[in-house]
Amino acid sequence: MTEIGTSSGVRTGASRAVAAVAAALVGMRFSFGPGITLPIIAALLLLPVWWPALRTFRWARPLMVLGVLALVSGAVLSLVFAGDRAVDSSLLVRESLTLLSMLSGIGLLLWARTQLATSHLAIAFALGALVNVAITGGNTTNLWKFSLSFPLAFLALALAMRRSRWGELVVLGVVAVISVAADSRSFSSFALIAGALVLLQLVPPRQLRSRPWLTLGGLALLGITVFLVIQTLLVEGVLGSAAQQRTQAQLDASGSLITGGRPELGAAMALLGAQPLGYGSGTLPNMSDVIIAKNGMEALSYDPDNGYVDRYLFGGHFEVHSVLGDLWIRFGLPGALFALLLLAVAVHAAAVRVSLRRGSALLALLLALGVWDMFFSPLLTSYNTLALLLACALLSNAERARLPRAHVGVTPPSFPRRASDACPDPHPHSTRPRSGHAIVPDTP
């Protein structure tokens, strides 16, 4: 049966099926050849479909254009401005394809959001990620921490999204407990931050106001508070003696759990301080670059003379374990601006939903994960979850048109028990009540 869709066009059973497959492909990071991924192939085939759909979302097209400029910038930096550094054309292609995979994922997921409920979008993505684990075998060093935690958490939260807030909180609690038991301190922290964010939305305000910037301040304060609480629990040994020893060692080394656990931050800051315009997507680090990076890591009381630094971080490429750092170093200022714009747009959209008590637990978890990944995780392992964050957070033009004004209070008839599922309404002319939600789903 044909349904009335958003401004991107008509939705049919076939289009929804294709959208679900596309979302699943974005969840897979399987690649072949020089780094060609399934999202790239799908995006090329579906380009006439997803590109027009981007106009449904504010900032989507400027973000994609900036990403393309970053691709060009990375190539120009390597081919024209590399100086005395060697350039590897195969590396240039591989790094460019990684960024292109991210752009493809953003385009496909935003189009899929015009065809599917957000929960169904996340389910398809999670199933694709689980298929990827089945194909590759996952990281057997710690299967939960490195392979299963994200897709299983996304899947469970997507299934709970249409139930109740309390169901979402139970899922987050289970995820946090499993993560602690599996020695995944960061993911347990993300689950706790997401849980706190959901709990805050259970407090019914006297007046519901769309104050996203005020909400952003509250989110930052919440994240810092949860971080300090978790750090205290780790230091006191509440979360296990092994975690306690590692945490104390990191604190003793640099005085901070973040810099002690992510000394790559020092390398990124030192390299970008030496060359703010970036290095290029195919440029190989020379000895001077490696020394600069190691000096930056030593400033954080980390000993960089080891195989991890020599082989993984700077063994034939630049890797600083940060999406922002990777994009800046490889693709120059356009790459950095692309990363910052993506994060700013996603965080602001999520804050709008939270300020209206419409932020799901899935969105809260993606938000915590996305902010962390932007500064402390490699681009290669983070690009698809950042694309999912953007797709789940962005408000369509139809939703934006129905937002209350930023300084005008809106008293809801009743408090929503379920998280927002920002999807096209399959029955836009129905007289069925909307449970008092402050934002209605997309309708023409």
Side-chain angles (χ1 to χ4, degrees):
M1 180 182 68
T2 301
E3 297 175 350
I4 299 176
T6 66
S7 58
S8 60
V10 175
R11 294 186 297 125
T12 66
S15 68
R16 290 194 294 270
V18 173
V21 172
L25 293 179
V26 177
M28 303 176 66
R29 288 194 292 107
F30 179 79
S31 63
F32 55 91
I36 299 173
T37 61
L38 297 176
I40 291 178
I41 297 174
L44 289 175
L45 294 175
L46 296 173
L47 180 62
V49 176
W50 64 259
W51 178 255
L54 295 185
R55 67 172 178 264
T56 306
F57 303 95
R58 188 179 182 185
W59 290 108
R61 283 188 171 179
L63 184 65
M64 298 293 285
V65 171
L66 191 55
V68 173
L69 289 177
L71 287 170
V72 176
S73 171
V76 170
L77 284 171
S78 289
L79 299 177
V80 180
F81 299 104
D84 60 351
R85 298 178 181 86
V87 175
D88 186 340
S89 58
S90 62
L91 175 65
L92 188 154
V93 171
R94 186 168 67 250
E95 301 293 13
S96 298
L97 287 174
T98 299
L99 179 53
L100 187 59
S101 296
M102 186 177 194
L103 296 174
S104 300
I106 291 173
L108 290 172
L109 289 179
L110 286 177
W111 168 69
R113 246 231 23 220
T114 68
Q115 304 294 317
L116 302 170
T118 307
S119 57
H120 297 162
L121 174 73
I123 289 172
F125 180 97
L127 290 176
L130 289 173
V131 170
N132 188 77
V133 173
I135 293 174
T136 62
N139 189 329
T140 55
T141 303
N142 188 326
L143 197 58
W144 170 262
K145 181 177 182 179
F146 298 116
S147 300
L148 294 177
S149 56
F150 297 160
L152 288 180
F154 296 164
L155 180 61
L157 289 173
L159 293 172
M161 189 182 294
R162 286 186 175 274
R163 303 292 180 179
S164 69
R165 293 289 194 185
W166 298 110
E168 293 179 317
L169 287 170
V170 169
V171 171
L172 289 172
V174 172
V175 169
V177 170
I178 295 176
S179 297
V180 169
D183 193 29
S184 181
R185 293 175 296 170
S186 58
F187 201 63
S188 62
S189 303
F190 303 149
L192 290 176
I193 290 174
L197 190 55
V198 172
L199 280 173
L200 282 179
Q201 295 180 84
L202 286 173
V203 180
R206 294 179 63 183
Q207 282 189 319
L208 197 60
R209 295 179 181 271
S210 177
R211 298 282 180 85
W213 294 111
L214 184 61
T215 303
L216 284 174
L219 293 179
L221 181 61
L222 174 64
I224 293 172
T225 301
V226 173
F227 170 78
L228 293 175
V229 169
I230 293 174
Q231 178 175 289
T232 301
L233 294 175
L234 288 167
V235 172
E236 295 298 326
V238 176
L239 303 181
S241 59
Q244 180 188 30
Q245 293 173 4
R246 283 194 303 276
T247 301
Q248 192 61 56
Q250 291 169 354
L251 289 172
D252 292 340
S254 65
S256 168
L257 187 59
I258 292 179
T259 56
R262 286 292 183 270
E264 302 92 345
L265 178 63
M269 294 177 64
L271 287 169
L272 291 170
Q275 191 159 316
L277 295 181
Y279 292 79
S281 51
T283 305
L284 302 178
N286 58 26
M287 185 57 65
S288 176
D289 298 326
V290 175
I291 292 174
I292 290 173
K294 287 187 173 182
N295 288 338
M297 300 176 83
E298 286 178 343
L300 299 180
S301 302
Y302 176 80
D303 182 7
D305 293 321
N306 55 61
Y308 170 73
V309 174
D310 292 329
R311 290 193 294 271
Y312 175 69
L313 296 186
F314 305 110
H317 61 272
F318 285 96
E319 173 57 65
V320 292
H321 219 273
S322 162
V323 172
L324 174 59
D326 286 346
L327 287 172
W328 195 340
I329 286 175
R330 298 170 189 171
F331 302 100
L333 291 179
L337 292 175
F338 168 78
L340 293 174
L341 179 60
L342 186 154
L343 184 64
V345 169
V347 170
H348 181 266
V352 170
R353 294 188 182 278
V354 171
S355 68
L356 294 172
R357 301 311 195 261
R358 296 298 303 273
S360 68
L362 172 65
L363 178 59
L365 182 63
L366 284 169
L367 181 62
L369 176 63
V371 173
W372 175 267
D373 285 348
M374 185 58 69
F375 298 101
F376 304 114
S377 295
L379 172 64
L380 182 62
T381 61
S382 307
Y383 69 80
N384 58 349
T385 51
L386 282 169
L388 182 61
L389 166 63
L390 189 69
C392 291
L394 278 187
L395 290 92
S396 68
N397 293 335
E399 284 181 298
R400 293 181 61 84
R402 291 171 173 83
L403 283 176
R405 291 188 178 182
H407 301 289
V408 178
V410 179
T411 304
S414 62
F415 182 72
R417 293 177 297 170
R418 294 178 296 192
S420 170
D421 204 18
C423 62
D425 188 355
H427 305 290
H429 304 297
S430 172
T431 57
R432 181 168 48 86
R434 304 232 178 237
S435 303
H437 289 187
I439 302 179
V440 300
D442 287 352
T443 55

